[in-house]
Amino acid sequence: MARVGAVLSRSSLAGLARYDALVLTALIWFLAKFLRYAFPPLFDAFQASYGVSNAVLGTAFTGFMLVYAAMQFPSGVLADRIGAVTVIVGGVVLASAGALVLVVDSPFVVLVGAMLVMGAGTGAHKTVAVRLLSRAYPERTGRALGFLDTLGTYAGVVAPTAVVLAAGLSLAVPGWRLLFLVAGAVGLVLGALFLVRVPKRLPGAARGVDSSSGDFRTDASSSPSDPGLRRYASLFRDRRFTAFVLATICFSFTYNGLVAFAPLYLTNEAGLESATANLLYGALFAVSVVQLASGELSDRVGTLPVIVAALALATAATVAFVALTGTGSALALGIALVGIGLGSHGFRPVRGAYLVQTIPDSIAGGSLGVVRTLLMGAGAVAPAVVGVLSETAGFRPAFWLLAGTVAVATLVCAGLLATE
C-alpha cells in the first residue's frame, strides 16, 4: 500500500511539473503588469522625491506605454527567428535591470530612462508568451491563456497594496526603491528558472529555439518572393482573419474607454458617491477569474462559440449599464458592470487561442505582434475619444458609442461563427 501511495505521489508531482512552463510564464507576466500598475500610485512619491509636476510624470508614463506598445511586433518577429524562450528571458532581464537602476538615488532623467527600459522589457512578453503556451499545451491552450490573463489582471490589485506597504516602511531611502529592488531580484530569478525549465516543455527547444523544425529562421525566410514584413501583411488578405482583427479592435476600444472613465461616469452621470463608484469599479476586475472558465470551455467546445457568447454578454451588459444610468440604482449598475466584466474578461484568453489556431506557425510571433499593436493602438485612442465626447456631447452619448463598438465586434464574430 505504501509503495502504491509513493507511486501515486510521484505521478501527481510529475503531472504538476508539466505545468512549470505555464506557471513561470504567468509569473513573469504578473511581474510585467505589476511594474506597469505600480507607477500611477507612485506619482505622489515621485513628486516628493523629484519635485516634478503631474504633467511631467504623465508624459513619462506615456513614454513607458508607447515603448511597451512598440515592442509587440519586433518581439514577435524575434521569436519567429531566434525562439520564444530567448526573447522572453531577454525581456525579463531587461525589465529587471531597469527596476534595479532605481534602487540607488539618481536624477529624474534616470527614472525616465528606467521606465523606458522597463517598457521595452515588459513589452517583449505577452505576444511571445501566447504562442509559447499554445505550443507547450496544444490541447489546453484556452485553459493556459485563461490562467495567464487572470494572474496578470490581479497584478492590478496587488501593485497598489504593495506601494502602500512600501510607503509605510521606515527606511533611510524612500520605500518605493525597495519595491523596485524586490521586483528586479524576483525578475532575475524567474528569468533563470524560465531558461532552465521551459525549453524542456517545447518541441525542438534546444538553444532557445522552439519551432517544431528546430529553427524558425528557416521557415521565416523560406520564400524569397515573399520576404520579411510582406509575409505578415499577407495574412490580412484572408477576409476572416481581417474580420476577426476588426472585431478585436472594436472590443479593445470599448473596454479601454470604459475602464478609463467608468468611475467618473458613475459619479457625474449616475450621481453615485465616490466610494460606491470605486467599489462597483473594483467588481469589474474582481470577476476576471472567469478567464479560467472561458479558456477551459473553449478547449472543449471551440473558440468561436465562446467568443460570441462572451461578446454578446458584454454588449448586453454595456447597453444595460448606459440605459440604467438615469435610475441611479447602484445595485442595477453594479450588476451591469459585473456583466461587462464577465463578458470582457471571458473574451480575452479565447481571443488569443483563436489567433494561434489561425496564424501559420512560421510567422506566429510577428503576426500576433501586429494584432496586439493594433489592439493597443485602439485602446490608447479610446480614452481620448471618450474624454472629448464627454465634454462636447455628454457622457451618455460617449458611452453609447462604446456600446455600439462592442456590438459591432459581436456581430462580426457571430457572422464568422455562422459561416464557419
Side-chain angles (χ1 to χ4, degrees), residues 76-402:
V77 172
L78 280 175
D80 289 337
R81 296 180 181 276
I82 66 175
V85 171
T86 304
V87 174
I88 288 178
V89 171
V92 71
V93 169
L94 186 62
S96 298
L100 291 174
V101 166
L102 298 179
V103 174
V104 298
D105 191 16
S106 53
F108 180 70
V109 67
V110 174
L111 171 66
V112 175
M115 290 175 70
L116 297 180
V117 170
M118 282 185 269
T122 57
H125 187 73
K126 179 66 181 290
T127 294
V128 183
V130 169
R131 183 57 187 148
L132 182 144
L133 291 178
S134 74
R135 295 190 64 77
Y137 307 101
E139 302 300 322
R140 292 289 183 267
T141 299
R143 176 192 292 179
L145 296 182
F147 181 79
L148 177 77
D149 283 333
T150 300
L151 197 60
T153 299
Y154 276 97
V157 178
V158 174
T161 303
V163 169
V164 171
L165 293 176
L169 297 175
S170 298
L171 301 171
V173 297
W176 58 265
R177 294 193 185 277
L178 176 63
L179 195 69
F180 286 109
L181 172 62
V182 173
V186 169
L188 292 177
V189 172
L190 289 176
L193 291 173
F194 193 92
L195 185 61
V196 172
R197 299 291 304 179
V198 175
K200 301 174 184 178
R201 306 300 174 195
L202 300 172
R207 296 181 301 280
V209 179
D210 57 313
S211 76
S212 56
S213 64
D215 193 340
F216 272 129
R217 286 173 288 188
T218 302
D219 272 341
S221 59
S222 60
S223 177
S225 63
D226 192 24
L229 298 178
R230 192 179 303 171
R231 295 202 68 195
Y232 300 105
S234 66
L235 277 172
F236 290 89
R237 297 173 189 165
D238 183 337
R239 292 182 179 180
R240 290 181 65 84
F241 178 79
T242 302
F244 186 75
V245 171
L246 172 64
T248 59
I249 289 172
C250 289
F251 166 80
S252 181
F253 182 89
T254 295
Y255 181 77
N256 284 276
L258 191 141
V259 165
F261 282 98
L264 199 58
Y265 178 87
L266 287 169
T267 54
N268 289 10
E269 197 70 21
L272 300 184
E273 295 293 331
S274 179
T276 303
N278 288 332
L279 180 63
L280 297 182
Y281 184 63
L284 181 66
F285 299 98
V287 297
S288 64
V289 70
V290 73
Q291 291 170 127
L292 296 173
S294 65
E296 174 74 18
L297 186 61
S298 72
D299 290 332
R300 297 177 181 274
V301 304
T303 52
L304 274 177
V306 178
I307 284 171
V308 173
L311 287 176
L313 174 59
T315 299
T318 305
V319 170
F321 181 69
V322 183
L324 293 169
T325 299
T327 66
S329 170
L331 176 61
L333 291 170
I335 292 173
L337 268 180
V338 167
I340 293 172
L342 290 172
S344 298
H345 293 301
F347 166 71
R348 291 161 72 182
V350 190
R351 171 185 63 192
Y354 179 85
L355 286 169
V356 297
Q357 291 171 4
T358 305
I359 298 171
D361 284 350
S362 61
I363 55 172
S367 301
L368 287 170
V370 171
V371 174
R372 278 184 55 79
T373 299
L374 294 173
L375 300 184
M376 295 186 67
V381 169
V385 173
V386 173
V388 170
L389 277 178
S390 67
E391 293 180 353
T392 56
F395 257 129
R396 292 190 77 177
F399 270 62
W400 277 122
L401 173 64
L402 298 179

Side-chain angles (χ1 to χ4, degrees), residues 33-66:
K33 297 292 284 288
F34 176 89
L35 289 172
R36 183 200 306 181
Y37 291 138
F39 277 109
L42 283 171
F43 281 179
D44 285 340
F46 290 157
Q47 285 180 328
S49 295
Y50 297 106
V52 293
S53 67
N54 283 335
V56 171
L57 288 171
T59 301
F61 190 63
T62 295
F64 174 98
M65 294 303 298
L66 288 175

